[in-house]
Amino acid sequence: MNEDTRSLHPEQPPQGAVPPTGAASEAAPRATAWADPAPLGLAGFALTTLLLSIINTNLLKETAGILPVLGLALFYGGLAQFAAGLMEFRRGNTFGATAFVSFAAFWLSYWWIAPRVALAGDAHNALGLFLLGWAIFTAYMTIGALRVSLPVLAVFVLLTLTFLFLAIGSFQGGAGHAMTEVGGWFGILTGLAAWYASAAGVINAAHGRTVVPLGTLPGRTEPSERVRHGERSV
């Protein structure tokens, strides 16, 4: 995801200033380099979403199939994505921080809710409201994604539809409903788009140039230019 390129280290001298020498140079603070956390956050979101979505499509019918999803929801979609969000705060990226911390909270709440619903009984209307709220959140985040990249925009558009169909399916009875299965297929597309965006961030950064294309959006810098100048492209 794109980052705010303004200086995050106000103690640094302005551009063009003569650097200190001698003892003063040794005492001068050094800027801390932060890796781009977006590929990690996107990868955690992608794999967790894909596995749950495959279950929602009813392609996987194992009775204990939810257990790997719960593990991913806690550690990868939850904790790893939360860490990525905190790093985005440090890098001055409001969009990335809000997205990653929020969806980390979604997966952590899913990890807590899912097994308890199975024990407590019917809650399909409450879960429908839960999913509808996430659909609304994702919809307005999609407007922010218009300033990021095409793969990230695709993730948010597809995820909005995923939440919407899952909410409708939940209101109609939950697991096994046709709308839940449709939401599962959109979730698979969402996970694949997130994986693509994550792969682009890792591969392009490792090579220092655009290897995996990101496309362009109106008003955005060409991805190759951003990579060349050391900026994030996802």
Side-chain angles (χ1 to χ4, degrees):
M1 294 182 182
N2 66 305
E3 66 173 334
D4 190 336
T5 55
R6 66 176 181 269
S7 174
L8 299 180
H9 304 280
E11 72 278 5
Q12 294 179 348
Q15 187 175 2
V18 178
T21 57
S25 178
E26 295 178 2
R30 292 185 178 181
T32 302
W34 288 75
D36 183 1
L40 169 63
L42 287 164
F45 176 82
L47 183 55
T48 314
T49 300
L50 276 169
L51 192 53
L52 177 58
S53 296
I54 290 172
I55 293 176
N56 284 335
T57 60
N58 212 25
L59 291 175
L60 186 64
K61 301 180 180 180
E62 296 174 342
T63 55
I66 195 65
L67 293 180
V69 178
L70 293 176
L72 285 172
L74 175 59
F75 292 105
Y76 204 23
L79 296 180
Q81 204 172 179
F82 183 74
L86 293 183
M87 291 179 67
E88 292 284 24
F89 275 116
R90 177 62 180 80
R91 290 164 65 91
N93 186 353
T94 302
F95 177 87
T98 303
F100 286 139
V101 172
S102 295
F103 289 121
F106 167 79
W107 285 117
L108 290 171
S109 62
Y110 178 84
W111 166 80
W112 191 89
I113 291 170
R116 287 163 176 79
V117 167
L119 295 174
D122 183 34
H124 66 273
N125 285 322
L127 290 174
L129 290 172
F130 173 77
L131 293 166
L132 182 60
W134 284 104
I136 294 170
F137 168 76
T138 309
Y140 76 70
M141 290 295 287
T142 302
I143 300 173
L146 290 168
R147 297 289 295 172
V148 184
S149 69
L150 279 175
V152 171
L153 177 60
V155 169
F156 278 85
V157 170
L158 291 168
L159 184 58
T160 301
L161 294 173
T162 299
F163 278 131
L164 184 59
F165 281 111
L166 291 178
I168 295 172
S170 186
F171 284 130
Q172 297 298 318
H177 192 274
M179 290 294 99
T180 299
E181 294 185 7
V182 171
W185 286 108
F186 272 105
I188 290 175
L189 294 176
T190 302
L192 292 175
W195 246 349
Y196 182 93
S198 174
V202 172
I203 295 170
N204 293 347
H207 288 266
R209 60 187 177 87
T210 300
V211 177
V212 179
L214 290 165
T216 57
L217 291 169
R220 294 293 298 143
T221 308
E222 290 290 334
S224 58
E225 291 295 322
R226 297 202 298 276
V227 171
R228 202 157 39 237
H229 288 86
E231 299 179 28
R232 285 182 293 171
S233 54
V234 178

